[in-house]
Amino acid sequence: MSESQWITAAKRGDNDALAHLLQENYLFVLKYLLKITLNRTSAEDLTQDTMIRAIQKIHLYSEKQSKFSTWLITIATRLYLDDRRKRQRESALLYEAADTRNLKWQMEQTADPWPELIDALADLQNDVRTAVILKHYYGYAYDEIAKMMKVPSGTVKSRVHHGLEVLRKESLQSEK
Amino acid sequence: MKNNGSPFNGGRDSISNDRDVTPRLSDAIQKLDDLLPESAPGLHLFRNLVQETKLREKRRAIRDLVLFLMMAILILAGWALSLILNPEVFVRLLLVFSALSVAGGIVGVVQAMLRNRGETSQ
């Protein structure tokens, strides 16, 4: 069965088809969320929330507008940004950098050294980091990112530009 | 829509001098994938999740419907009671509710117009 057939069946109410689609895309969403949250627990929680939201809204998904994985990424992005805004409101903080300690510790258990650019990425504002990753890792167009983040395309461009500027400076400093 | 799973593609419309940092950034981000399991949980877990979520949604819909019906019955009973016991109060209430509805409608239209103006000016 093709993805399109699974989607049609899932939209008709076939639980098995929907479960199959979610399983197929689970790791893709989890990996994406780990990259933007830089925290495994948050990434796993948000992946679960994304799956639940997808189950609730599957009838609204249109294959003409986006791929299924892009739709899931859109849900995940919005859930993540809403969650961070809510946390910042609750803790009355203007901005809280991503906590990468757990990931660092986990990577130390492997042979790979911790990439210093990830620290610089963690220091970026949540919406800036998300825009940079969507643009320069996943290769989405500015308009697509704008739709995902519900902001004008120009805002995405300036966030990406600003984010890369900061990363470049940090990268040069760490080289020195 | 472009690639969905593959990493960095060079950013077709990105600024050319971004190229020095973006491949390194891409490599750094890629390493995070190694910290995650290589396979998704079993299909039965997703089946359970789908079933539980749909069941919860169904229960919520029923609860909302019951709540809505109860409120409707309560309001209609109030209307009927005031019409029978005191028609004067009924007419006054009718006028107040009509005025509130019209005011609410006007506020909604004005808000929508302001929102549209804000979006087009951005």
Side-chain angles (χ1 to χ4, degrees):
Chain A
M1 254 173 112
S2 68
E3 189 182 70
S4 181
Q5 286 169 317
W6 285 114
I7 290 168
T8 311
K11 286 179 82 171
R12 275 197 204 126
D14 184 338
N15 288 356
D16 284 352
L18 187 51
H20 171 85
L21 280 171
L22 296 179
Q23 191 196 28
E24 286 283 298
N25 288 279
Y26 177 83
L27 276 182
F28 177 64
V29 176
L30 180 61
K31 284 177 179 176
Y32 166 67
L33 282 166
L34 183 71
K35 289 176 184 85
I36 60 168
T37 59
L38 297 170
N39 181 298
R40 190 167 169 167
T41 313
S42 297
E44 283 170 347
D45 289 348
L46 283 165
T47 305
Q48 174 94 349
D49 292 346
T50 304
M51 299 287 139
I52 291 172
R53 190 63 64 88
I55 297 166
Q56 290 167 338
K57 306 278 178 189
I58 185 69
H59 60 284
L60 298 175
Y61 167 67
S62 163
E63 265 188 283
K64 287 175 196 160
Q65 286 182 356
S66 62
K67 279 180 74 173
F68 189 71
S69 53
T70 303
W71 183 62
L72 289 176
I73 288 285
T74 304
I75 295 174
T77 304
R78 290 179 185 171
L79 282 174
Y80 166 66
L81 293 175
D82 286 349
D83 178 66
R84 295 300 125 152
R85 274 184 217 120
K86 205 170 131 191
R87 278 173 196 231
Q88 279 171 18
R89 262 201 311 271
E90 280 169 4
S91 58
L93 285 174
L94 280 175
Y95 170 65
E96 195 177 7
D99 186 0
T100 55
R101 279 173 300 180
N102 282 345
L103 282 185
K104 240 182 207 174
W105 180 84
Q106 217 184 324
M107 201 171 269
E108 276 167 13
Q109 312 302 307
T110 67
D112 274 338
W114 176 255
E116 284 184 15
L117 259 180
I118 298 290
D119 284 330
L121 196 67
D123 287 338
L124 293 178
Q125 297 238 348
N126 300 320
D127 40 16
V128 174
R129 181 169 60 248
T130 306
V132 168
I133 290 172
L134 284 170
K135 177 68 194 159
H136 286 288
Y137 187 83
Y138 288 94
Y140 285 108
Y142 286 119
D143 288 343
E144 286 176 299
I145 303 170
K147 271 184 205 162
M148 286 178 187
M149 299 179 79
K150 287 193 196 165
V151 291
S153 189
T155 308
V156 178
K157 278 183 194 168
S158 75
R159 281 177 186 172
V160 171
H161 179 75
H162 166 70
L164 287 180
E165 202 63 41
V166 173
L167 290 174
R168 195 179 300 113
K169 278 180 194 162
E170 292 288 329
S171 167
L172 285 173
Q173 272 179 1
S174 65
E175 276 173 18
K176 282 174 191 170
Chain B
M1 178 169 40
K2 287 195 266 178
N3 61 330
N4 269 328
S6 60
F8 174 71
N9 70 349
R12 196 170 55 195
D13 43 357
S14 67
I15 308 156
S16 59
N17 62 1
D18 288 340
R19 285 186 187 140
D20 54 347
V21 73
T22 43
R24 291 181 54 205
L25 176 67
S26 182
D27 288 342
I29 295 172
Q30 180 79 50
K31 283 186 180 171
L32 296 175
D33 285 349
D34 299 337
L35 302 174
L36 291 172
E38 285 175 7
S39 58
L43 190 62
H44 66 281
L45 288 175
F46 290 94
R47 272 198 199 115
N48 288 347
L49 183 69
V50 171
Q51 278 166 1
E52 278 170 22
T53 307
K54 284 189 173 178
L55 197 68
R56 216 170 25 243
E57 285 296 296
K58 203 174 168 183
R59 280 188 193 141
R60 189 185 295 166
I62 291 170
R63 194 194 59 201
D64 288 351
L65 186 68
V66 169
L67 212 71
F68 171 77
L69 287 175
M70 278 170 64
M71 291 297 287
I73 289 168
L74 219 75
I75 290 168
L76 285 175
W79 282 113
L81 218 69
S82 67
L83 179 63
I84 294 162
L85 298 176
N86 199 339
E88 198 182 317
V89 173
F90 174 78
V91 172
R92 278 182 191 169
L93 277 174
L94 198 67
L95 287 173
V96 169
F97 271 94
S98 304
L100 282 176
S101 304
V102 170
I106 291 170
V107 168
V109 168
V110 170
Q111 275 180 341
M113 280 168 67
L114 288 174
R115 210 177 306 128
N116 284 344
R117 195 178 294 171
E119 277 172 11
T120 48
S121 65
Q122 274 176 344

